[in-house]
Amino acid sequence: MPKFRRPSRAARVLLPGAVAVVLLAGCAQGSGGAASARRSGMPAGTSPTAGSPTPGSPVTVPPNPDGTVAPGTLLVTDFGSDTVTFVDPARGATGSVQAGTAPYGLAVGADGRAWVATAEGVAVVDTASRERLALIPYRTDTGPVTTGEYRGGGMGIALAPDGRRVYVGVNVPGGDGALEVVDTASLKVTDVVPIGRRPFDVDVSKDGAEVYATNHDSFDVTVVTAVTLEPRRIEVAPYGTEGGLGSWLKPHYTAVRPSDGKLLLPFEGERLAVVDPRTGRTTIEPMTANTHQHGTTVTADGTLLTVGTGPIDPAVDEGPSLTVRTPGGAERVYPLEGPHESVAVSRDGRTAYVTGGFTRDGYWNGLTVVDLDTGDARRLPAGSRPLGIAVL
């Protein structure tokens, strides 16, 4: 990655000669190893795992003998393996279940079934019995099943409010993606909708009427009407689209604001794009973390939590963090140690869980537990490059 001399955000793109490297590096930060660890703010003596991490931790705490899931148990996708891992937030990993190659996002229904987007298909996991019930293949041709940041297959995934449909964003390496619709009763893909490139995230409106695919490499959100499956493209590029695939300044994850259904997309710890999916209009609000941002979620009261993954340019940007933003726009920024990706919040709203799996070249096999009242944080080993996360 080229070095920069305090450029404006709009100038932060890969140089023309380096654009081909994006196919391997993507949002990669530096060249990995110790240098990457220093830039990402990892503590001394800690370094990212290189190559293919080992599978998730073995069973250390047995599941409940009555076959139920302990309240507050976490489920993470092991992007560095082929499993999902159950995590007791106080004691660590309690066991793993095979899902499919390089699992990315997941969604959990009221019936306890988890829907997991893997490189091979959508895995259906019973979280009570801890077994995979099915692996639903995609209709879209994504090429050979591979691993790594640019692998084909499912990325973002969401469940309709009534539980009848699952929507999964399917990445097609080198081309536009697809939104595949899964019928949860028949466990089959029923429809395929064209969307943008590399759909990091998929969300559904509160009433289930619309589906939103956030497409990283095409600077847009595809709005899909659930009844007709008609897609509409909304460009979301508060820094412009200069640099194309080589740009750092692209959308990653979206949260749907409960109060009005608008879409919240954080950029670089500087700008929050607020998109009205009905009109396509985008307004910009300031943010304060000044770091490259990825995973985001919103609580029922409208509190937005966003993961800062670390600096694009260490000379001018801040390190990894978790931003907690009130509905009125006030922010608290909690520093994190090392790279992180996604975030979930406990049901009482007092604790955040931030995964250490990472789509850039730094990551670690665990998550950080953050007390949202005090900002106190502790690191918890869990899984293999854990990426997606849900509270059961």
Side-chain angles (χ1 to χ4, degrees):
M1 187 71 194
K3 292 185 179 295
F4 301 90
R5 294 182 180 272
R6 304 184 73 86
S8 67
R9 288 281 188 186
R12 294 186 185 181
V13 299
L14 291 173
L15 298 177
V19 169
V21 179
V22 77
L23 297 177
L24 296 177
C27 286
Q29 180 174 297
S31 57
S36 179
R38 287 195 296 273
R39 283 192 292 272
S40 67
M42 271 191 166
T46 303
S47 61
T49 303
S52 298
T54 56
S57 303
V59 173
T60 55
V61 181
N64 287 355
D66 61 1
T68 62
V69 178
T73 296
L74 310 174
L75 186 66
V76 299
T77 58
D78 294 319
F79 192 64
S81 182
D82 62 355
T83 56
V84 291
T85 293
F86 294 83
V87 182
D88 181 318
R91 296 179 286 178
T94 65
S96 300
V97 175
Q98 184 177 14
T101 302
Y104 197 98
L106 78 162
V108 181
D111 59 1
R113 287 190 296 176
W115 304 82
V116 185
T118 82
E120 303 174 61
V122 176
V124 187
V125 175
D126 186 311
T127 60
S129 64
R130 298 192 177 187
E131 61 180 332
R132 189 179 76 179
L133 304 178
L135 182 63
I136 305 165
Y138 304 118
R139 282 192 187 175
T140 304
D141 182 5
T142 62
V145 173
T146 60
T147 62
E149 181 179 355
Y150 283 85
R151 64 121 173 96
M155 296 185 72
I157 191 168
L159 184 64
D162 63 8
R164 295 181 179 179
R165 285 177 166 183
V166 166
Y167 303 96
V168 56
V170 178
N171 179 42
V172 179
D176 289 341
L179 184 75
E180 298 210 357
V181 184
V182 177
D183 181 276
T184 60
S186 66
L187 302 182
K188 294 181 179 178
V189 174
T190 59
D191 295 281
V192 180
V193 182
I195 57 175
R197 298 171 71 111
R198 287 185 74 209
F200 265 55
D201 198 14
V202 174
D203 298 272
V204 182
S205 63
K206 186 176 180 180
D207 61 4
E210 291 183 331
V211 184
Y212 313 112
T214 303
N215 309 304
H216 180 266
D217 283 0
S218 49
F219 297 89
D220 58 29
V221 171
T222 304
V223 179
V224 178
T225 303
V227 173
T228 64
L229 297 180
E230 289 293 322
R232 291 184 290 116
R233 178 183 184 268
I234 299 177
E235 183 176 287
V236 187
Y239 295 92
T241 62
E242 181 182 354
L245 290 178
S247 173
W248 291 80
L249 308 175
K250 295 179 282 192
H252 293 85
Y253 296 85
T254 296
V256 181
R257 189 157 65 186
S259 61
D260 58 8
K262 291 184 178 180
L263 312 182
L264 307 177
L265 294 90
F267 284 80
E268 306 306 316
E270 291 184 338
R271 303 179 186 182
L272 179 68
V274 182
V275 180
D276 186 332
R278 289 159 289 280
T279 66
R281 182 185 177 192
T282 298
T283 57
I284 303 298
E285 299 178 6
M287 297 189 76
T288 60
N290 188 31
T291 189
H292 191 62
Q293 290 178 317
H294 275 210
T296 193
T297 191
V298 66
T299 63
D301 69 357
T303 299
L304 183 71
L305 292 91
T306 302
V307 180
T309 68
I312 295 175
D313 180 359
V316 295
D317 300 333
E318 300 297 329
S321 64
L322 176 67
T323 293
V324 182
R325 181 185 179 93
T326 69
E331 292 188 345
R332 290 170 290 161
V333 180
Y334 298 133
L336 298 174
E337 293 183 347
H340 291 76
E341 180 69 18
S342 300
V343 59
V345 183
S346 61
R347 300 202 183 280
D348 62 9
R350 299 181 64 182
T351 307
Y353 308 105
V354 193
T355 58
F358 203 40
T359 55
R360 294 154 81 179
D361 64 350
Y363 58 91
W364 64 286
N365 295 333
L367 53 88
T368 296
V369 181
V370 182
D371 185 313
L372 295 177
D373 293 326
T374 66
D376 292 341
R378 57 184 174 87
R379 289 160 68 92
L380 185 68
S384 174
R385 198 173 178 177
L387 192 67
I389 184 168
V391 179
L392 302 180

